[in-house]
């Protein structure tokens, strides 16, 4: 019997949610008690204070974290989030999901995640650069191309990854592009990385719609979150022939039954930063967006937006989880009981980002660069394989699709830990 000795460090709604998902999956595959806690809990974390000189001469100390969940199957991998609601528990949950995701799609990585409690919209470009560089400086001994490889997440982007790579490289004394992924192409970023997560979401959505025999020409889509993932998913789904009828960001949501003018929305966001007062659709609330009648609902913002309060009201046929952890455990039970909504679980649905991050890392390590078509072809091949394995697991054990995906991911991590044995 293993004994659970867990501190309250990560205690939070979202960490408990990730733990409950793990427990359910571990029970479903009878994961031996001796391996459960080793597989479940994060391996290690670092919390740092980040003092930044502001434009007005004052100093603000921000708090940042990095949680490495699993280092048994390769370096750990996962994004860095800049958001005011970041907590160490949230970062730990996101790191845990990264482990199952990498394992599910067969990448030689463990999971990790980072975060800084800040509102990037309230920082000037130079304050943002100082924060990004200071965060990486504090992480120099904790990350590295063969230790832990960060990437962008909510509130971070290519530019920030570039500053972090530069900071790390200056510390080690030579160019080290493989320390982070999601960089600008000019300094070792991969073709196709910026659009990878959204493109993967759209590709899998198309595949599942085919299985459901719903033509793309009759598909309507509502998307919550119009950042990197939401906007790229919108563009890719529209290019397949679907109609995007609603989009949103944290300032509000917009509905247009004739189709949101996407190019207009993208240039609006590029100049205004947010969708506030966008006139390409009727203003609605984010809550109303989630309950719109549509073929596909794509949550592409934050965790825990589909809850026991709205799960019974969803009117989509397919829920494509572009965000990490958008559906609470209680909502999941309601969706399972309803049985009329197909779910593409987050660990499968948004895996395109980490898959192309893996390609970027490989290109950096080998100094040999691929073109966009090669990147996308390889991405879709991995997603096809992962989808097939999830469907086979679902059929074989009569699991929900989420349980099928999680059990596959968890099983492989547990097997790797078992094979390596316990040190010393
Ligand atoms: P982003 O910062 O580029 O965009 C986030 C978007 O969500 C913004 O439009 C923001 O305004 C919106 N948002 C925030 N709070 C909201 C709210 N309460 N209601 C409506 N909209 C809200 O971040 P991103 O990189 O697009 O990430 C979005 C999601 O996708 C996150 O869950 C992230 O973990 C996940 N994800 C990202 C990647 C990646 O490669 N960037 C990969 C896998 C998963």
């Amino acid at each position: 019997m293993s004994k659970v000795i867990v501190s309250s460090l990560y205690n939070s709604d979202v960490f408990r949610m990730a733990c409950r998902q793990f427990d359910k999956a571990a029970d479903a595959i009878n994961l031996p008690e001796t391996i459960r806690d080793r597989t479940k809990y994060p391996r290690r974390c670092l919390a740092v204070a980040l003092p930044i000189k502001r434009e007005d001469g004052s100093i603000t100390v921000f708090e940042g974290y990095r949680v490495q969940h699993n280092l048994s199957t390769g370096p750990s991998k996962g994004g860095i989030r800049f958001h005011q609601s970041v907590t160490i528990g949230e970062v730990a949950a996101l790191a845990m999901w990264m482990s199952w995701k990498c394992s599910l799609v067969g990448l030689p990585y463990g999971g990790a995640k980072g975060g800084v409690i800040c509102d990037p919209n309230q920082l000037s470009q130079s304050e943002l650069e100082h924060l990004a560089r200071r965060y990486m400086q504090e992480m120099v001994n904790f990350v590295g191309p063969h230790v832990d490889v960060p990437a962008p997440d909510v509130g971070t982007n290519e530019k920030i990854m570039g500053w972090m790579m530069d900071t790390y490289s200056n510390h080690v004394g030579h160019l080290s592009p493989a320390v982070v992924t999601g960089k600008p192409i000019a300094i070792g970023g991969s073709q196709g990385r910026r659009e990878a997560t959204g493109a993967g979401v759209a590709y899998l959505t198309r595949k599942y719609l085919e299985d459901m025999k719903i033509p793309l020409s009759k598909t309507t889509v509502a998307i919550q979150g119009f950042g990197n993932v939401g906007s790229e998913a919108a563009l890719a789904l529209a290019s397949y022939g679907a109609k995007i009828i609603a989009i949103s960001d944290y300032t509000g949501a917009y509905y247009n039954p004739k189709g949101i003018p996407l190019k207009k929305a993208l240039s609006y966001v590029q100049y205004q930063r947010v969708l506030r007062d966008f006139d390409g659709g009727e203003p609605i609330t984010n809550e109303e967006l989630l309950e719109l009648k549509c073929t596909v609902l794509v949550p592409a913002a934050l965790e825990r937006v589909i809850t026991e309060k709205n799960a019974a009201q969803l009117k989509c046929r397919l829920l494509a989880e572009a965000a990490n952890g958008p559906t609470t455990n209680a909502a999941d039970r309601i969706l399972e009981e309803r049985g009329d909504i197909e779910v593409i679980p987050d660990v499968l649905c948004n895996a395109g980002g980490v898959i192309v991050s893996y390609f970027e890392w490989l290109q950096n390590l080998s100094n040999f660069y691929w073109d966009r078509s090669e990147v996308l072809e390889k991405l879709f091949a991995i997603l096809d394989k992962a989808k097939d394995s999830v469907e086979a697991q679902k059929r074989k054990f009569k699991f929900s699709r989420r349980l099928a995906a999680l059990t596959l991911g968890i099983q492989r991590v547990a097997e790797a830990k078992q094979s390596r044995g316990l040190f010393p």
Side-chain angles (χ1 to χ4, degrees):
M1 276 290 279
S2 68
K3 233 180 159 57
V4 196
I5 304 169
V6 189
S7 77
S8 56
L9 185 63
Y10 302 122
N11 201 7
S12 65
D13 285 345
V14 64
F15 186 69
R16 281 193 297 274
M17 169 181 156
C19 287
R20 273 197 290 273
Q21 285 181 351
F22 175 90
D23 293 341
K24 188 174 172 189
D27 286 344
I29 53 175
N30 288 321
L31 198 67
E33 285 295 336
T34 47
I35 196 76
R36 281 200 189 200
D37 294 339
R38 278 177 71 198
T39 309
K40 178 176 176 180
Y41 291 109
R43 169 82 176 265
R44 59 190 187 182
C45 69
L46 185 63
V48 292
L50 307 164
I52 303 302
K53 194 164 195 179
R54 309 298 296 265
E55 299 282 358
D56 64 4
S58 66
I59 289 174
T60 308
V61 182
F62 294 92
E63 191 163 299
Y65 312 109
R66 185 80 186 162
V67 177
Q68 294 168 358
H69 177 262
N70 162 33
L71 295 160
S72 300
T73 47
S76 51
K77 187 91 193 74
I80 299 172
R81 178 170 292 194
F82 281 9
H83 195 271
Q84 55 275 24
S85 67
V86 161
T87 64
I88 196 166
E90 179 191 49
V91 175
L94 290 162
M96 207 164 161
W97 288 324
M98 281 304 295
S99 287
W100 318 145
K101 189 185 307 178
C102 293
S103 166
L104 170 66
V105 298
L107 303 182
Y109 289 139
K113 208 80 181 188
V116 176
I117 309 170
C118 69
D119 180 354
N121 295 316
Q122 303 299 321
L123 298 175
S124 70
Q125 279 298 292
S126 84
E127 289 170 340
L128 201 56
E129 178 173 356
H130 286 141
L131 187 58
R133 287 186 181 280
R134 188 68 195 226
Y135 177 85
M136 180 47 97
Q137 188 179 321
E138 293 298 334
M139 293 292 152
V140 162
N141 294 316
F142 202 58
V143 300
H146 299 287
V147 181
D148 179 15
V149 185
D153 190 72
V154 173
T156 54
N157 56 23
E158 286 179 6
K159 206 186 239 183
I160 290 178
M161 293 305 116
W163 290 327
M164 289 190 176
M165 188 278 272
D166 181 68
T167 305
Y168 183 85
S169 295
N170 276 305
H171 268 274
V172 295
H174 56 83
L175 180 69
S176 181
V179 68
V180 294
T181 57
K183 301 177 292 292
I185 304 256
I187 50 172
S190 178
Q191 297 287 344
R193 174 60 185 90
R194 185 186 304 170
E195 60 268 42
T197 312
V201 169
Y203 181 80
L204 287 169
T205 299
R206 191 176 86 179
K207 290 282 164 180
Y208 277 103
L209 288 170
E210 274 169 26
D211 293 351
M212 294 161 75
K213 307 208 176 345
I214 300 176
L216 277 150
S217 58
K218 293 206 170 120
T219 295
T220 54
V221 185
I223 303 182
Q224 184 196 44
F226 201 63
N228 171 278
V229 178
S231 65
E232 293 293 349
L235 284 173
L237 283 164
S239 77
Y240 291 155
K243 194 195 286 177
I244 314 301
I245 58 165
I247 58 171
S248 76
D249 68 9
Y250 77 93
T251 65
Y254 299 87
Y255 169 62
N256 187 339
K258 294 201 178 102
I260 297 280
L262 288 180
K263 280 203 178 121
K264 186 173 167 178
L266 283 168
S267 55
Y268 192 88
V269 167
Q270 199 176 353
Y271 291 107
Q272 312 284 333
R273 289 177 84 164
V274 289
L275 283 169
R276 185 181 289 118
D277 298 332
F278 176 60
D279 67 359
E282 173 200 335
I284 55 173
T285 63
N286 260 294
E287 291 70 31
E288 286 167 334
L289 179 145
L290 295 172
E291 295 176 19
L292 278 178
K293 185 167 167 42
C294 58
T295 322
V296 187
L297 176 63
V298 184
L302 299 175
E303 309 81 70
R304 299 172 60 79
V305 293
I306 296 167
T307 65
E308 58 194 328
K309 293 206 180 90
N310 61 11
Q313 272 73 260
L314 299 195
K315 295 176 194 70
C316 57
R317 301 278 309 279
L318 178 65
L319 175 64
E321 293 186 341
N324 286 304
T327 308
T328 65
N329 308 107
D332 223 16
R333 278 194 295 278
I334 295 171
L335 295 180
E336 272 181 50
E337 276 159 26
R338 280 182 59 162
D340 58 345
I341 296 178
E342 297 294 330
V343 178
I344 315 178
D346 51 3
V347 288
L348 174 63
C349 193
N350 67 36
V354 71
I355 293 170
V356 179
S357 272
Y358 168 59
F359 296 161
E360 181 173 329
W361 181 75
L362 286 180
Q363 292 170 79
N364 294 154
L365 291 177
S366 62
N367 245 318
F368 181 76
Y369 287 84
W370 314 347
D371 63 28
R372 188 171 180 276
S373 58
E374 192 176 353
V375 167
L376 292 181
E377 193 186 314
K378 287 186 162 76
L379 163 66
F380 296 150
I382 292 182
L383 289 177
D384 278 335
K385 201 170 148 204
K387 173 180 182 281
D388 289 348
S389 65
V390 168
E391 293 311 304
Q393 178 91 338
K394 177 175 179 291
R395 271 193 308 274
K396 186 170 172 193
F397 296 104
K398 299 199 170 24
F399 286 165
S400 70
R401 194 167 289 111
R402 187 186 314 285
L403 192 58
L406 288 174
T407 49
L408 283 172
I410 289 167
Q411 181 90 54
R412 291 177 191 159
V413 174
E415 272 170 20
K417 282 186 181 288
Q418 233 156 0
S419 304
R420 286 188 61 163
L422 202 56
F423 180 83

